Amino acid sequence: MFDEHQEISMSSLVDGWMFRKGNDSTWAQPNIDLKDWSKTDMTEFSPIAADSKGRIEGWYRIKILLDSSFLGIPLSINRQLSAASDIYPDGKKVASFGNTGIPYQPYNPNFQNVNSISMTLGENHLLAIYIVAYEASLTPREMRLTPNNLKAFLLLTGPLSNGKVENKTRSTHLIASLCVSVYSVC
């Protein structure tokens, strides 16, 4: 399922996500009652669900089973978009992207390396994600919580993904240096 950069979009290519609006850290635990949860597509996270202060928050959960095709591949989680989130495999927080608490701090996905994740092959695992966002009309178009942008929200990655990030960083620094040089000549 990996693409050429060893990335799998968990938000658009994986079915079976459950969602619940709100914030309760016990929702990260593997064995909870899901009667108030709804089956959804992760790309449907929407500003329509915002509270009176514009805060959009909720939990996503999915059970996954990694097969032998992942043998010997160190896995990581990476994120796109500016929404803050906390990642909990099997009920243990392993990564934060931005700050979901107070003060809220959006995540800057540019030039960020991935966060390692350890999951045993052949065993069922629960992946829980707490997500918080504030979206305004001034949010850049490429960062808005639209279904198309949310396709790359959550990525399961292999080692080649870090190379993609490093190449993007080098290219951006080179372009920025060229721009500064051109402007200083003019």
Side-chain angles (χ1 to χ4, degrees):
M1 291 180 65
F2 276 139
D3 67 10
E4 68 273 9
H5 301 291
Q6 280 190 329
E7 296 176 342
I8 298 172
S9 171
M10 297 292 291
S11 44
S12 66
L13 297 177
V14 178
D15 291 328
W17 286 100
M18 301 293 289
F19 177 77
R20 185 166 181 190
K21 186 177 174 180
N23 179 16
D24 183 339
S25 61
T26 64
W27 295 346
Q29 297 307 309
N31 298 314
I32 64 167
D33 184 2
L34 298 177
K35 72 176 182 196
D36 294 326
W37 291 68
S38 58
K39 190 169 181 170
T40 189
D41 183 333
M42 189 179 264
T43 62
E44 295 174 8
F45 189 71
S46 168
I48 295 170
D51 65 15
S52 61
K53 296 177 184 171
R55 184 177 174 97
I56 312 161
E57 70 181 323
W59 284 81
Y60 282 96
R61 298 168 52 95
I62 194 166
K63 289 191 177 180
I64 59 174
L65 174 69
L66 299 176
D67 65 21
S68 61
S69 64
F70 291 97
L71 184 64
I73 299 174
L75 297 176
S76 301
I77 293 283
N78 200 357
R79 280 272 330 278
Q80 298 297 314
L81 297 179
S82 62
S85 63
D86 299 321
I87 310 295
Y88 296 80
D90 300 320
K92 296 178 182 86
K93 185 176 175 182
V94 298
S96 288
F97 297 88
N99 183 6
T100 58
I102 298 172
Y104 169 78
Q105 180 67 44
Y107 173 64
N108 180 354
N110 295 318
F111 318 124
Q112 301 292 326
N113 283 324
V114 296
N115 290 295
S116 296
I117 189 169
S118 178
M119 289 191 274
T120 307
L121 301 181
E123 291 182 15
N124 283 312
H125 295 278
L126 170 77
L127 185 58
I129 297 133
Y130 174 54
I131 177 173
V132 176
Y134 287 88
E135 188 167 288
S137 59
L138 298 176
T139 303
R141 182 176 57 242
E142 66 276 4
M143 301 301 281
R144 289 190 183 142
L145 299 173
T146 64
N148 191 49
N149 288 345
L150 284 164
K151 287 179 182 176
F153 173 70
L154 182 69
L155 304 168
L156 182 65
T157 66
L160 292 180
S161 183
N162 262 341
K164 175 185 164 188
V165 171
E166 290 167 6
N167 287 338
K168 184 178 178 183
T169 302
R170 275 192 292 266
S171 297
T172 301
H173 288 298
L174 177 62
I175 291 168
S177 296
L178 288 171
C179 289
V180 168
S181 297
V182 168
Y183 287 127
S184 61
V185 170
C186 296

